[in-house]
Structure formats: C-alpha cells, structure tokens
Amino acid sequence: MSACLAGAVDGPASVQPMTVADLDEVMVLERAVYAFPWTRGNFVDSLAAGYIAWVLRDGAAGLIGYSVAMPGVDEMHLLNITVASGLRRQGHARRVLNELDAAARRAGTSMLWLEVRESNAEARSAYQRLGFAHVGKRKGYYPAVGGREDAVVMRRATAAAGDGGLHAVD
C-alpha cells in the first residue's frame, strides 16, 4: 500500500469512478510503484464485484492515483491506494480517503480498515496522523523479496456526518 497523506489538494484534480477503460493507465502506475503489483485481473475482478474503486486525475498530469475498497458488513476495507511517486505528499491520498470515508458513511458503515507493510513506516505514520490506529498484525501477508512480509492492520471510525472527512492529528 502506498500512501503519503500530508498536505492539502486545492488544484484541479478530480476523483472519478474507476472503469475498465482506466485499467491500461492504472496498470502502468501499479507496475511502476510496486515490486509485487496487482494483476489486471485483480482490478477487473474488483470492478465486477462492485468494489468501490476510484481514479484521481489531473488535466495536466493525467492519472495521479487510484484506490480500491471492499464494502463489508458495517465496515469498509481499503485494499489498494496508490499515488504516483513524484506526486506524493501533496494530499492526493487524503483526498481519495475522504471520498472513501464519505462513501462508507453513505453506506452506513462505521469503520475503515486497511493493511500496510510493516516496513512502510512513512505510510503507517501518515495513517496514524489521520486517526487510524494499529490494531493487529497479519503474519506473512505481503510477498517480499526472499519471502513474505508482515502487515500492520489499522482501523479508523468513519467521520461523523458533516465532519468533512479525515484530518491530520499532529
């Protein structure tokens, strides 16, 4: 999972539902960012299953990032959030997470869940600043060079109605 959530986005970037037509661009970014990327089939299956999937686009920069989340009973599980390497730390992932939070509230969901690589201290710190708490670990969850890597499980209550979304807690 790739996310650096510091900063704000006030520019022309827009969050749009992901479609199969977006997948060529999504796959280019996925392969550029991850040593063990999702397959095109993973994205196709997620869209077919009705998962909540978005792309973040900027007219000048094109595809900035994307996310995929799986709704569940009284919870939303973030499966993938990715921002292009050169465009991180500008609030793009926070913007996508705000959309996810709003979708979760509309669905009557009270909790957001995610896993993040144990070695990804930057993302874990960013999630903590946004109110996610470390609640567990999944042993050997991620593929890694030479074996497997543990995942840190994090969760956050969805924002209260009218709250406006996720805010940094510094």
Side-chain angles (χ1 to χ4, degrees):
M1 174 145 326
S2 176
C4 301
L5 307 175
V9 176
D10 296 320
S14 64
V15 178
Q16 305 161 1
M18 183 187 293
T19 68
V20 172
D22 295 311
L23 293 184
D24 288 342
E25 287 179 282
V26 166
M27 290 308 303
V28 168
L29 182 53
E30 179 79 4
R31 290 180 185 126
V33 171
Y34 296 111
F36 300 93
W38 276 24
T39 67
R40 184 181 187 92
N42 293 135
F43 287 100
V44 169
D45 290 348
S46 295
L47 292 173
Y51 290 3
I52 296 172
W54 287 303
V55 292
L56 182 63
R57 294 188 173 281
D58 180 295
L63 183 71
I64 294 171
Y66 51 86
S67 68
V68 177
M70 178 179 64
V73 176
D74 198 35
E75 68 181 38
M76 188 75 64
H77 192 129
L78 180 63
L79 301 175
N80 189 328
I81 185 166
T82 302
V83 173
S85 298
L87 298 171
R88 294 181 184 162
R89 301 193 63 85
Q90 297 177 31
H92 298 301
R94 181 188 334 207
R95 183 152 180 203
V96 172
L97 283 170
N98 280 334
E99 293 289 336
L100 178 60
D101 190 80
R105 283 185 282 124
R106 285 190 301 273
T109 299
S110 64
M111 197 67 61
L112 298 175
W113 291 84
L114 61 85
E115 288 90 8
V116 59
R117 284 182 182 270
E118 191 169 49
S119 65
N120 194 344
E122 187 176 6
R124 286 188 294 116
S125 176
Y127 289 131
Q128 284 180 314
R129 285 191 307 275
L130 291 170
F132 284 87
H134 176 152
V135 295
K137 186 182 286 192
R138 296 191 197 281
K139 292 284 191 189
Y141 186 78
Y142 289 109
V145 175
R148 307 289 298 179
E149 180 177 354
D150 294 347
V152 173
V153 179
M154 302 182 84
R155 73 175 178 200
R156 179 194 191 280
T158 55
D163 180 356
L166 303 170
H167 305 285
V169 181
D170 291 324

